[in-house]
Amino acid sequence: MTLFTMFAHRKESDLFNTCRYLLGNLKVNFTNSGLSDTLHNHVEYPSLLSIKDTLFEYGIESAAIEKGPHSYEAFETPFICSIQQDDWPRAGFTVVTRAENGQIDYLDPLTNKLKQLSVEEFEKMDKHIILLLDTATPKHEVHFSANKKRERDRMLVKRVPLCLTLAAIVFAAGHLFSQPVGTYTWLGAGFLLFSFLGLAVSSLLIWNEIDAHNPFIKEVCGGKGKKINCDAVLSSSRASFMGISWAVWGFSFFAAFFTTQILFPGNIGFLLLWSVISLLVSPYIMFSVYYQWKVVKQWCPLCLAVQVVLTANTTIAAFCLSGSAALSEGFALYPVAVVILVGLSFLLLTNAAIPELKSARDGRDYEKKWKKLRYNPEIFEALLDKSERVTAPVDGLGIVVGNPRATHEIIKVCNPFCGPCAKAHPELEHIIHTNPDVRLRIIFAVSGEGGDIKTRVVAHLMAIQQECDTVKMQSALDDWYLAPVKNYDTFAQKYPMNGELSEQSGKILAMRDWCETMKIRATPTIYVNGRELPDSYRVTELKNFF
């Protein structure tokens, strides 16, 4: 894949491309940001499990199996598997769209385009783990419209710097050619073009300094051959000068160069000054090439691209300085001062920013590792075992939502006007809707006195459970807890009850007695399989265990 192609198609992970292709073919409404966030926020990302759980969020159930001796034609397409060619640094996930007549159609992880191979050739790449998919009931992304608007806003913000840069180039070029066109006009246009190209390439080198493991950077930096390795060059002993990496020097050089060309297009003083500077730095071209060739014996594609740009600048500088009458008059103080101040500013800011950006990246990595440890089921169970246990029986108490024969039970002790209880409600509903082996038991902590509005609401909810089906019960809970303003009269009109309300006093008193026995002092109090949820965990985190 060429560098231009990779810039045109922003490198995404093969996991993202696989899921995006599958959802697109199923006509599912989704946003790239929503899909990407779901994948990247998964504790096991990047893995087949992260794909499995992400697709489940879009209504696609799946099961991973070993291929074994079965033929590909025996599996219903589409299915997902992992493949790796000899020159790939790691395996990539792909979606197989067709497997018949000895041919396999699959999504190439590198080009993100459909490709066809014979079964024999595909078999050599396949890792023999297949994720079978049930695509019968896909569902659209939750909050799709809001996510789409947010994604458009983000895209506009991200495009602003590029648009401003391109606009600056256009205005600078327009100013150059609005004057009588001469030698200095073309030389100025050349400096403008190559300073921009140098800035673009050196920006990738800075990106490599910050995150060398980024898939896009790794592809730009090679890996296609034994002699191509950016890391070997950029981490070598001569990869810095005065304690500052050559990547930072290069970026600062081109940033200052490009900035002055934008602000002072065609200015003879700046053209002459940068011509002299370009000639002064030209020996670095030979040093870099020789160092990669003879010392490190590895090639850095980005470093070579920088040398090409420097060579072009040196050529332009030679034309600019040859027979220039202005050079004999010396340099004006203003261009020299501007270049020094701008250059030093970029140098100091870049050198200071890189450690901070590295720390931010490392912080995200550490957070992911911490979450992986935190959401380990064995650790969670060990912490649960140390928590307070439910000592009073709960049979017949409260409202049970979900499969009554489920293996796991979550108890939520709450009151109907508790704000945190309302926030916990959709999180727990999501768990029981996506996992039939979990049920939710809601126990209300209220006084049981007739004049208490909380008691009246609970009596109404208990009456609905007694008289109505599960669907209406869940609907009533949603209407109450998700309402922005909780008005009992409005709720009672929507779910009218008569004498059933007076029949609930015994149930309410039983829940009150249970809460007193368990010494419930705050709501919501959550119990998981008879043990209190540890203080260090939140309700929103329970989805990582069920």
Side-chain angles (χ1 to χ4, degrees), residues 241-518:
F241 177 67
M242 296 176 62
I244 300 176
S245 70
W246 282 116
V248 175
W249 284 108
F251 176 80
S252 304
F253 173 84
F254 285 113
F257 196 175
F258 178 68
T259 300
T260 54
Q261 296 305 304
I262 289 293
L263 297 177
F264 308 99
N267 185 289
I268 295 176
F270 282 96
L271 289 179
L272 294 176
L273 180 57
W274 279 110
S275 296
V276 171
I277 295 174
S278 296
L279 289 177
L280 289 176
V281 302
S282 60
Y284 176 74
I285 300 172
M286 297 304 299
F287 163 76
S288 178
V289 173
Y290 176 81
Y291 185 69
Q292 295 178 67
W293 179 29
K294 291 295 186 180
V295 180
V296 183
K297 296 181 181 180
Q298 298 277 345
W299 295 104
C300 168
L302 292 177
C303 302
L304 293 176
V306 169
Q307 309 321 315
V308 171
V309 174
L310 289 176
T311 302
N313 285 337
T314 301
T315 304
I316 296 173
F319 277 107
C320 185
L321 295 177
S322 59
S324 174
L327 185 61
S328 61
E329 300 177 3
F331 297 110
L333 179 61
Y334 181 72
V336 174
V338 169
V339 169
I340 292 175
L341 288 174
V342 174
L344 282 176
S345 297
F346 278 114
L347 182 66
L348 295 174
L349 288 173
T350 305
N351 196 48
I354 286 179
E356 298 299 325
L357 294 173
K358 282 184 177 180
S359 296
R361 182 210 62 196
D362 292 341
R364 290 192 295 271
D365 292 342
Y366 289 137
E367 181 185 10
K368 182 168 288 189
K369 293 176 182 177
W370 173 76
K371 284 184 176 180
K372 195 169 185 178
L373 184 65
R374 177 179 176 82
Y375 298 147
N376 185 306
E378 294 178 359
I379 292 177
F380 181 64
E381 282 293 326
L383 292 174
L384 274 180
D385 282 337
K386 296 180 180 180
S387 298
E388 182 180 346
R389 294 178 177 271
V390 174
T391 56
V394 295
D395 295 339
L397 291 182
I399 296 173
V400 176
V401 184
N403 179 13
R405 293 180 296 276
T407 305
H408 304 285
E409 181 178 75
I410 299 175
I411 299 174
K412 180 179 77 165
V413 184
C414 61
N415 81 65
F417 289 94
C418 167
C421 297
K423 292 180 180 179
H425 176 75
E427 300 290 342
L428 296 173
E429 285 270 310
H430 176 76
I431 291 174
I432 62 173
H433 286 158
T434 56
N435 193 329
D437 202 30
V438 180
R439 67 176 178 266
L440 170 66
R441 183 183 300 272
I442 304 174
I443 296 178
F444 295 98
V446 293
S447 66
E449 298 176 359
D452 185 0
I453 184 62
K454 297 176 185 177
T455 300
R456 293 170 60 194
V457 174
V458 172
H460 210 111
L461 290 170
M462 298 297 292
I464 293 173
Q465 177 187 233
Q466 175 181 305
E467 299 297 322
C468 304
D469 57 22
T470 303
V471 174
K472 193 166 185 179
M473 180 69 255
Q474 291 185 358
S475 176
L477 288 170
D478 290 343
D479 285 341
W480 178 259
Y481 277 113
L482 301 182
V485 178
K486 293 175 175 52
N487 187 297
Y488 173 67
D489 293 334
T490 303
F491 179 80
Q493 289 177 4
K494 186 172 183 179
Y495 298 93
M497 292 287 161
N498 296 312
E500 299 88 349
L501 296 178
S502 60
E503 300 173 6
Q504 310 306 318
S505 59
K507 299 176 183 177
I508 294 174
L509 292 176
M511 288 189 289
R512 184 195 66 183
D513 293 342
W514 184 91
C515 290
E516 290 178 354
T517 301
M518 290 301 302

Side-chain angles (χ1 to χ4, degrees), residues 22-23 26 51-64 78-80 131-139 433-436:
L22 185 64
L23 295 177
L26 294 175
I51 293 180
K52 184 179 186 298
D53 291 344
T54 296
L55 292 178
F56 186 78
E57 294 292 326
Y58 292 91
I60 301 172
E61 296 191 11
S62 57
F79 60 81
I80 293 173
L131 187 67
L132 299 177
L133 306 171
D134 180 3
T135 59
T137 57
K139 62 182 182 182
H433 286 158
T434 56
N435 193 329

Side-chain angles (χ1 to χ4, degrees), residues 519-538:
K519 298 181 180 179
I520 301 297
R521 296 293 180 264
T523 57
T525 298
I526 306 295
Y527 294 93
V528 179
N529 293 332
R531 294 159 294 178
E532 188 174 358
L533 183 69
D535 291 338
S536 58
Y537 287 89
R538 299 179 180 178

Side-chain angles (χ1 to χ4, degrees), residues 4 28 62 70 97 100 129 169 221 257 261 400 475 479 499 506:
F4 175 80
V28 174
S62 57
H70 304 288
T97 60
E100 56 187 36
I129 298 295
I169 294 173
C221 280
F257 196 175
Q261 296 305 304
V400 176
S475 176
D479 285 341

Side-chain angles (χ1 to χ4, degrees), residues 155-175:
M155 189 62 65
L156 287 174
V157 171
K158 288 181 178 179
R159 288 178 177 175
V160 166
L162 178 61
C163 291
L164 290 176
T165 301
L166 294 177
I169 294 173
V170 170
F171 283 123
H175 177 76

